[in-house]
């Protein structure tokens, strides 16, 4: 009796988790009609960069190609504790470069605080945070301008992974990013705040007056999002703006990145949720419950197939799909291990080009 009750509780929790993915996905199936307006917002694009001489040029080229009035955009790179040519590359590209050296207070959160203190003096309407290894689509600022015109105080744009073919780790990251975008769009449609994702974050200047930036941990985005929720500031989702980046192509580097991300909490880990659903389903079937767990698995499978369709399918990616469970299992373990041992310091994730050099 006790075992049956415990199993039913597990199935209820699994159903709640499944609905947490299904409801927002259904909400976003009906698309809203986009509308055009004359741009009015002034943007400062803040690019924190630590030893990004290889990735930064592509990021700056994407910013130079933005379809938005140049007089309304300022780009500012923060060369944070760099030992390479990041600062020189930024200056040669004609953008503002702030150089920061602080061997004690290291990490993206400190770099952003350093940059915000200086760029806010220029009184931009919106500050947009873009990682130095990311690119932005040409219409991004137009979409954000329209979002802030509706009264938004903060927004998170879509984040896409552009290296889905770089092994099972790259494929898992790409599908996970597409899945996150779908659920975020749905939660926004329903009226909820969406998670911040570290890159592609936009804030109205007045937000920093109400909630000063003091997120200095390993997951600075989750820390600041929590403070925004406490201040009842909703983060909107802006799907018309897209950040594209490359996920770590090796499983080891992806796990390192997730060790830092696990500070966002257990429920924020899709691999851990998937592992829980798989375990609950297996135990339920062994105990004679079939229809209920089968329905849960079917819904999750359909939602992830939709994410894979968004990423794009090919014979190679189908092969990578077969290797994905091993990656998901490792990521689940990384997150679960974080209950005992949390990452207290910031660690920069290796870039794909660096991983290639290391392998060579």
């Amino acid at each position: 009796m006790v075992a049956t009750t415990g199993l039913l509780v597990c199935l209820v929790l699994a159903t709640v988790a499944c609905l947490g993915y299904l409801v927002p996905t259904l909400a976003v199936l009906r698309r809203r009609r986009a509308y055009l307006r004359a741009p009015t917002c002034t943007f400062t694009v803040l690019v924190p960069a630590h030893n990004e001489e290889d990735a930064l040029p592509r990021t700056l080229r994407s910013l130079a190609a933005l379809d938005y009035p140049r007089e309304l955009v300022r780009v500012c790179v923060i060369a944070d504790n760099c030992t390479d040519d990041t600062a020189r590359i930024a200056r040669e590209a004609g953008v503002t470069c702030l150089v920061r050296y602080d061997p004690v207070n290291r990490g993206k959160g400190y770099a952003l605080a350093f940059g915000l203190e200086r760029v806010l003096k220029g009184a931009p309407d919106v500050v947009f945070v873009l990682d130095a290894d990311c690119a932005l689509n040409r219409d991004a600022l137009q979409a954000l301008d329209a979002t802030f015109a509706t009264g938004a105080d903060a927004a998170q744009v879509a984040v896409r992974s552009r290296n889905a073919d770089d092994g099972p780790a790259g494929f898992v990251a790409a599908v996970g990013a597409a899945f996150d975008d779908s659920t975020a769009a749905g939660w926004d449609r329903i009226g909820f705040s969406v998670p911040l994702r570290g890159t592609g974050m936009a804030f109205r200047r007045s937000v920093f007056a109400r909630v000063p930036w003091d997120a200095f941990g390993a997951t600075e985005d989750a820390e600041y999002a929590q403070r925004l929720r406490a201040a009842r500031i909703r983060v909107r989702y802006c799907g018309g703006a897209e950040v594209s980046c490359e996920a770590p192509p090796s499983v080891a580097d992806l796990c390192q990145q997730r060790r830092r991300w696990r500070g966002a909490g257990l429920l924020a880990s899709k691999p851990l949720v998937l592992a829980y659903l798989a375990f609950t389903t297996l135990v339920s079937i062994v105990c004679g419950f079939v229809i209920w767990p089968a329905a849960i698995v079917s819904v999750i499978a359909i939602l992830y197939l939709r994410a894979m369709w968004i990423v794009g399918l090919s014979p190679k990616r189908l092969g990578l799909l077969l290797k994905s469970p091993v990656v998901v299992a490792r990521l689940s373990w990384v997150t679960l291990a974080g209950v005992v041992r949390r990452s207290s310091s910031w660690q920069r994730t290796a870039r794909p080009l660096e991983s290639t050099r290391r392998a060579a």
Side-chain angles (χ1 to χ4, degrees):
M1 182 65 180
V2 175
T4 301
T5 301
L7 181 58
L8 289 175
V9 171
C10 290
L11 280 170
V12 169
L13 293 176
T15 303
V16 171
C18 180
L19 290 175
Y21 295 143
L22 176 63
V23 171
T25 302
L26 292 176
V28 80
L29 291 180
R30 183 175 62 84
R31 296 182 179 273
R32 286 177 175 171
R33 190 176 70 176
Y35 61 92
L36 299 177
R37 62 188 300 273
T40 58
C41 282
T42 59
F43 287 88
T44 289
V45 182
L46 203 56
V47 184
H50 173 67
N51 289 344
E52 297 286 2
E53 64 179 3
D54 292 325
L56 185 59
R58 180 173 185 171
T59 300
L60 296 179
R61 285 194 298 270
S62 77
L63 294 176
L66 288 171
D67 184 11
Y68 202 79
R70 290 182 178 270
E71 66 273 14
L72 300 182
V73 183
R74 178 193 178 196
V75 178
C76 180
V77 173
I78 308 166
D80 184 52
N81 288 308
C82 293
T83 57
D84 65 357
D85 287 333
T86 295
R88 178 185 61 79
I89 289 171
R91 293 190 180 107
E92 289 180 353
V95 303
T96 302
C97 182
L98 302 174
V99 178
R100 173 181 178 269
Y101 289 109
D102 189 335
V104 177
N105 297 315
R106 299 175 59 85
K108 182 179 173 182
Y110 289 104
L112 288 176
F114 177 85
L116 286 169
E117 180 183 358
R118 287 151 180 81
V119 301
L120 289 176
K121 295 177 181 177
D125 294 324
V126 176
V127 176
F128 181 73
V129 178
L130 181 69
D131 283 357
D133 61 332
C134 297
L136 202 58
N137 66 313
R138 293 189 75 247
D139 299 331
L141 294 191
Q142 289 191 32
L144 281 168
D145 178 72
T147 298
F148 281 100
T150 64
D153 288 316
Q156 172 62 55
V157 312
V159 179
R160 310 288 191 195
S161 180
R162 57 178 176 242
N163 61 327
D165 291 323
D166 287 353
F171 180 73
V172 166
V175 172
F179 192 92
D180 286 339
D181 285 333
S182 294
T183 53
W187 286 126
D188 179 70
R189 184 71 58 86
I190 296 170
F192 289 93
S193 184
V194 304
L196 294 175
R197 297 175 67 179
T199 185
M201 308 181 296
F203 308 98
R204 198 180 291 275
R205 184 179 74 251
S206 59
V207 167
F208 296 112
R210 296 168 59 187
V211 185
W213 181 275
D214 61 355
F216 303 125
T219 51
E220 74 292 327
D221 50 351
E223 291 177 33
Y224 195 63
Q226 185 175 5
R227 295 202 60 202
L228 292 179
R229 285 194 296 272
R232 298 185 180 278
I233 296 175
R234 178 185 171 193
V235 179
R236 299 292 309 277
Y237 176 76
C238 180
E242 295 183 6
V243 167
S244 61
C245 55
E246 293 187 352
S250 75
V251 177
D253 287 335
L254 187 63
C255 287
Q256 178 184 323
Q257 183 186 65
R258 295 317 197 257
R259 287 188 186 95
R260 179 166 56 85
W261 288 7
R262 65 192 179 191
L266 294 177
L267 296 180
S269 171
K270 294 188 300 300
L272 187 59
V273 172
L274 288 176
Y276 172 77
L277 293 177
F279 176 77
T280 300
T281 298
L282 180 61
V283 174
S284 299
I285 292 175
V286 170
C287 294
F289 293 88
V290 177
I291 297 178
W292 190 352
I296 293 174
V297 170
S298 298
V299 169
I300 292 296
I302 291 172
L303 295 180
Y304 269 94
L305 283 173
R306 180 175 182 271
M308 293 177 203
W309 183 264
I310 293 172
V311 171
L313 293 175
S314 66
K316 179 178 181 179
R317 291 178 182 178
L318 290 175
L320 296 176
L321 174 61
L322 297 178
K323 301 177 182 178
S324 297
V326 176
V327 180
V328 172
R330 286 192 60 178
L331 295 178
S332 302
W333 173 250
V334 165
T335 304
L336 194 59
V339 175
V340 178
R341 183 179 179 182
R342 288 186 176 273
S343 299
S344 58
S345 60
W346 175 84
Q347 287 184 316
R348 177 179 176 277
T349 303
R351 306 301 184 227
L353 183 58
E354 296 169 353
S355 298
T356 302
R357 289 172 180 167
R358 193 168 60 232

